[in-house]
Amino acid sequence: MDTSTIRSIKELPPEENMLPGTAACAGCGGLLTLRYCLKALGDKIVIVNAAGCFTLLTIYPFSPFRNSWLYTAMACAPAGAQGVRDALDILIKKGKLDPEENLKVVVLSGDGSAYDMALSSTSGAIYRNLDFYYICYDNEAYGNTGFQHSGASPFGSRTGTTPPGKEVPVGSQLQKKNLFDIWNSHKPPYIATVSPAYPVDLMNKFKKAEQFKGPKLFISHIPCPPGWGFDPSRSVRLAKLSVETGLWPLKESVHGEVEHTYVPKKFKPVEEYLKEQERFSHLFKPVRQEDALKSIQEMVDEYWKKHELLP
């Protein structure tokens, strides 16, 4: 891939490495992210897919991918990637595979796998300096099994297992895990957060990552129309609002050094993002939960103050 920086969406590669007509939900932000990721990675890849929403994309004999695809359980996609990488390396070493035919190994997982079940498997893969790409589509719950709470579910959200009620009106009382920092503590070559609403930023991060051998992570915050409760046509708007309110910082880390790749000139109030989703509607009606709303805004402000980027 040409590693020069692109400046506009018009410069995105025209090639499509994912075909239309998938079984994904209408307006799935993860599908849009994946489309951009595959534009960046090209078709000489093998995808190791942890069980999740995107397992449904490939149902025999149909597949939207132009490349090879391997299904694994939720907890072991990084281990599966290790096996694929080892097999490729052995075939090349024995002269049975031309190095020109080498494939990039890509793990594709939802947040349930990335934040929870596969965390030990992932830590081991990073520790072994496995040369692979890890793409996490983060819709902040176990999306294809009833939208149950995951380690990525945010404070104050309604999920299938954290319904707001008389005893706990706020919904989820837990804070979202920080997967970026968990990975960064291992000091891998490259980590980034991305968004389907910022494809140029996403593409340039893949271009930068290509120069590094070793573990490379891309976490995409993705709107989920049925889980979050909004019209599918507003998916990109929600993705953009999560960045413009400061809830989803766009950043990258090279060997542990973190830099933000986009900082809004003026941060929008988090309420603009929360109000558009059914999963947060209990924070506004029948009674506004001022303490919870204030807590969410303060959490965002503290993050940007810590990095000295709040105007």
Side-chain angles (χ1 to χ4, degrees):
M1 182 170 71
D2 178 7
T3 57
S4 57
T5 301
I6 66 172
R7 292 169 295 179
S8 79
I9 197 168
K10 294 180 180 177
E11 297 178 39
L12 294 179
E15 296 83 9
E16 297 289 352
N17 293 312
M18 189 173 68
L19 304 173
T22 74
C25 303
C28 173
L31 198 61
L32 184 55
T33 284
L34 183 58
R35 179 186 168 211
Y36 291 136
C37 291
L38 296 186
K39 276 179 174 287
L41 289 167
D43 59 357
K44 293 180 70 172
I45 63 173
V46 55
I47 292 177
V48 183
N49 197 162
C53 291
F54 283 178
T55 307
L56 304 177
L57 298 183
T58 297
I59 302 175
Y60 182 82
F62 303 106
S63 172
F65 300 119
R66 294 185 183 277
N67 53 274
S68 298
W69 180 88
L70 173 68
Y71 169 80
T72 73
M74 294 188 78
C76 59
Q82 180 78 62
V84 173
R85 184 64 264 163
D86 289 349
L88 289 167
D89 291 342
I90 290 170
L91 289 172
I92 292 172
K93 187 176 181 180
K94 288 186 174 181
K96 294 183 178 180
L97 180 68
D98 189 325
E100 291 294 319
E101 297 299 318
N102 193 12
L103 301 174
K104 297 170 185 167
V105 180
V106 180
V107 165
L108 180 60
S109 102
D111 52 276
S113 175
Y115 284 71
D116 293 335
M117 291 192 196
L119 205 49
S120 63
S121 175
T122 305
S123 177
I126 305 170
Y127 181 68
R128 296 190 300 274
N129 200 36
L130 175 64
D131 186 23
F132 75 135
Y133 292 79
Y134 193 118
I135 299 170
C136 171
Y137 53 97
D138 178 1
N139 68 356
E140 303 187 319
Y142 288 84
N144 73 330
T145 54
F147 210 72
Q148 298 97 334
H149 191 278
S150 84
S153 299
F155 170 79
S157 65
R158 178 205 306 268
T159 72
T161 47
T162 59
K166 186 178 294 184
E167 296 297 325
V168 187
V170 74
S172 173
Q173 301 177 82
L174 300 175
Q175 298 288 349
K176 184 184 179 92
K177 284 185 191 175
N178 192 330
L179 186 64
F180 186 96
D181 281 358
I182 292 171
W183 266 70
N184 208 33
S185 68
H186 293 69
K187 298 290 189 294
Y190 191 80
I191 314 172
T193 58
V194 296
S195 166
Y198 294 81
V200 173
D201 177 81
L202 182 154
M203 186 65 62
N204 284 326
K205 285 172 174 169
F206 272 91
K207 283 173 169 283
K208 180 179 282 190
E210 190 157 35
Q211 66 183 294
F212 301 112
K213 187 173 182 179
K216 297 169 278 285
L217 170 69
F218 297 84
I219 322 171
S220 181
H221 191 227
I222 62 162
C224 170
W228 292 13
F230 66 89
D231 189 282
S233 66
R234 301 175 75 78
S235 188
V236 173
R237 171 177 165 75
L238 260 295
K240 192 166 187 178
L241 268 177
S242 73
V243 174
E244 295 292 332
T245 55
L247 274 162
W248 188 250
L250 292 178
K251 56 187 177 181
E252 63 184 2
S253 169
V254 178
H255 293 299
E257 295 296 321
V258 179
E259 288 192 7
H260 290 78
T261 57
Y262 174 77
V263 180
K265 291 181 180 175
K266 183 178 180 181
F267 288 86
K268 294 182 178 179
V270 293
E271 280 196 32
E272 287 194 29
Y273 168 78
L274 303 175
K275 275 183 174 177
E276 300 219 7
Q277 304 168 57
E278 182 61 30
R279 65 173 175 158
F280 293 113
S281 62
H282 57 281
L283 299 180
F284 299 95
K285 59 185 179 184
V287 179
R288 274 181 65 92
Q289 297 192 44
E290 295 292 355
D291 288 347
L293 292 169
K294 182 181 177 186
S295 175
I296 296 171
Q297 184 65 64
E298 286 178 348
M299 177 194 69
V300 173
D301 292 345
E302 285 172 10
Y303 172 87
W304 291 100
K305 283 178 183 174
K306 174 184 171 185
H307 291 278
E308 300 180 343
L309 292 170
L310 193 66

